[in-house]
Amino acid sequence: MSGWWLVLVGVMAAGALLHLFHRRLRASLAAPRVPVALGLVDHGAVGETVDFASRRGRRLVGWWLPGEARGTVVVTHGWGANRELMLPMARPLQAAGWNVLLFDARNHGESDPDSFSSMPRFAEDTEAALDWLRARPGMEDAPVALLGHSVGAAAVLLAASRRDDVSAVVSLSAFAHPDGMMRRWLAEKRLPFFPLGWYVLRYVEWVIGHRFDAIAPVNTLPRVRCPVLLVHGRDDRVIPPSDAEHLHASRGATPARLRLLPGDHDLSRHIEAELPELLAFLDEALVEASPQPV
């Protein structure tokens, strides 16, 4: 076999190995789909199931929980979660008079599949929920708050940085920068950063179509024009509380406040005690966003 054939065979073999590596990498980074187990009636909740389109024609499924028309909170779940898992947060908001819209992001719950999930696609789905809401009668100018958890929290910050029709943002357990998240994931997998980890980060940026710096919460938060409440657990081992402190320090002119709680990443056992402060924050933002009498 000539030298050129050996080179060609070597290149083809390397290409095949790289393709296999990419497939394994995307599979390991894919979000698990957790099914929605029970309906609203089973949970004793008042509302209806709705659906609406997101980018690429994907259909998203959600729950609309009507309140007393004080305003609306759009809730975005985290990676591998679904709308049902956010219901314990949504029902107190509804009881306090807020409409609540919960939805499943693409590749999650009952929503349509797509080629991959990413934080920017979570943000796209959040904006699709906002667009659906704005198209409802009487909702065009009504106050709207965004609430997200983990990746969903980073997504609502990204969505709010691109819009001027958001009255408030509540971020639960957000990371500061995707680079830090990916480096922690690489460390868990015991993959060396150079050269393999560096290549993984660049490949992920290529797949999602965004540079990490462009979508990092530390860079989107300063572009948000409404009040932001950053909530984080002191015992969070998924995203350390130092990320929340870094995020708060990056706020710039954005009116953001930080609340560290005794709790882990999901905050479910501790958030109930914080509901009065959360509701007060939303009430204050609602007053500021409501049209003032002339």
Side-chain angles (χ1 to χ4, degrees), residues 36-45 49 63 83-84 87:
V36 175
L38 300 174
L40 287 174
V41 173
D42 302 305
H43 284 286
T49 301
W63 282 331
R83 67 186 191 272
E84 184 179 24
L87 198 55

Side-chain angles (χ1 to χ4, degrees), residues 13-45:
L17 288 173
L18 189 60
H19 177 70
L20 179 61
F21 175 72
H22 289 166
R23 288 186 61 183
R24 293 286 300 272
L25 178 61
R26 292 181 70 153
S28 64
L29 290 171
R33 185 185 285 267
V34 177
V36 175
L38 300 174
L40 287 174
V41 173
D42 302 305
H43 284 286

